[in-house]
């Protein structure tokens, strides 16, 4: 569904992701951590954690300029050691374990701790566990589907 329509535009996709993750952070802050939190605070936490993508894209740019034809965000995951990571559930899970995504998730946990006043370890561990569950469900989805034959 992301490959079609207005949601595939980079600006719309980035803003929609920012909003959706912020709503999830708000839910985690209010209902899981039992703390007072506003959507504005959740948006700020997610926005600051998104800054981690800047070094990732700088490194990807360097890799591409050096001639790497396979440079992608998955280049910073353990899946680079596999021949075809999309072929197995474990490979898809390892592809999602991007170093920068881990960094951003920890930043979100620290930000959630600052905003809600809960212990840092509790917020970080809670978000990392939620993220790992999300990755687990995402890795259950099949890889690139086979093209539909034309009649």
């Amino acid at each position: 569904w992301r490959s079609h329509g207005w949601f595939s535009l980079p600006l719309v996709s980035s803003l929609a992701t920012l909003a959706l993750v912020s709503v999830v952070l708000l839910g985690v802050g209010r209902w899981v951590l039992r703390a007072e939190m506003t959507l504005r605070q959740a948006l700020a936490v997610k926005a600051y954690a998104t800054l981690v993508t800047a070094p990732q894209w700088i490194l990807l740019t360097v890799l591409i300029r050096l001639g790497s034809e396979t440079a992608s965000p998955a280049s910073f995951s353990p899946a680079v050691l596999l021949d075809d990571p999309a072929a197995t559930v474990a490979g898809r899970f390892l592809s999602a374990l991007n170093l920068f995504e881990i960094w951003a998730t920890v930043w979100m946990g620290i930000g959630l701790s600052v905003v809600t006043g809960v212990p840092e370890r509790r917020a970080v561990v809670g978000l990392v566990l939620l993220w790992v569950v999300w990755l687990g469900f995402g890795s259950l989805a099949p890889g690139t589907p086979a093209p539909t034959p034309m009649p």
Side-chain angles (χ1 to χ4, degrees):
W1 63 277
R2 288 183 74 172
S3 63
H4 297 88
W6 63 271
F7 197 81
S8 63
L9 298 172
L11 181 62
V12 175
S13 177
S14 298
L15 292 175
T17 301
L18 176 69
L20 291 173
V21 173
S22 297
V23 169
V24 170
L25 280 175
L26 181 64
V28 169
R30 285 189 176 178
W31 295 302
V32 176
L33 299 176
R34 304 273 184 210
E36 280 299 315
M37 185 176 182
T38 65
L39 182 58
R40 177 183 244 169
Q41 291 170 321
L43 282 165
V45 167
K46 173 56 180 158
Y48 283 121
T50 303
L51 293 175
V52 170
T53 59
Q56 175 183 3
W57 288 106
I58 290 169
L59 285 173
L60 280 173
T61 303
V62 169
L63 287 175
I64 290 169
R65 295 298 294 166
L66 291 174
S68 174
E69 294 179 13
T70 60
S72 73
S75 301
F76 306 113
S77 74
V80 296
L81 303 173
L82 302 174
D83 290 333
D84 186 15
T88 64
V89 173
R92 289 188 296 271
F93 183 79
L94 289 175
S95 292
L97 285 178
N98 179 334
L99 173 68
F100 293 96
E101 290 294 326
I102 296 168
W103 186 11
T105 304
V106 170
W107 268 24
M108 279 190 282
I110 293 169
L112 196 60
S113 170
V114 169
V115 167
T116 61
V118 300
E120 189 175 292
R121 183 177 180 153
R122 183 176 167 206
V124 170
V125 168
L127 274 183
V128 168
L129 288 176
L130 181 64
W131 179 64
V132 168
V133 168
W134 175 260
L135 295 182
F137 281 121
S139 64
L140 293 176
T144 307
T148 307
M150 296 301 288

